Amino acid sequence: RRSSDPTLAHNRLVRLPDEFGTTLLCLESLDLSHNQLDQLPVCLFSATNLRRLACTHNELIGLPESVSKCKHLQKLFLSYNLLQALPETIGECATLEKIRIDGNRVRALPASILRL
């Protein structure tokens, strides 16, 4: 992990600013685990260099379709949230090597995940 990549875990965050991703375009890794987030701002995925995103142990009810903008995303950790589905665009994350969604309410995976 680079020292310039923020760790915002264990902060009781309930919301991120709407412009959060646009201010961190060079971001490669972000840990938002163990907060109280129920959504991620769409522009978070404007950080096109993002390779690792950890959002475990939150209250996420969905993942924005804009996740597909992260062309370099390799690891996506979403365990222990309230997710019921993944966006169809998840299959456009061609470099995604690892995704963890255990402890959610996902009953079916989008067909696009087969492209990974």
Side-chain angles (χ1 to χ4, degrees), residues 42-107:
V42 171
C43 67
L44 171 63
F45 300 101
S46 296
T48 53
N49 290 323
L50 192 62
R51 297 180 189 289
R52 180 184 180 279
L53 178 60
C55 291
T56 64
H57 299 273
N58 276 285
E59 299 172 9
L60 296 176
I61 56 174
L63 192 63
E65 296 279 335
S66 60
V67 67
S68 63
K69 291 183 181 179
C70 288
K71 300 299 182 191
H72 301 289
L73 190 62
Q74 297 171 338
K75 297 176 182 171
L76 181 59
F77 303 120
L78 300 167
S79 299
Y80 303 101
N81 280 285
L82 303 174
L83 297 173
Q84 294 185 2
L86 294 175
E88 186 64 36
T89 57
I90 196 78
E92 295 173 32
C93 299
T95 59
L96 194 60
E97 299 169 354
K98 187 179 285 189
I99 182 171
R100 290 193 179 147
I101 58 169
D102 51 304
N104 280 285
R105 300 173 182 171
V106 176
R107 296 198 186 274

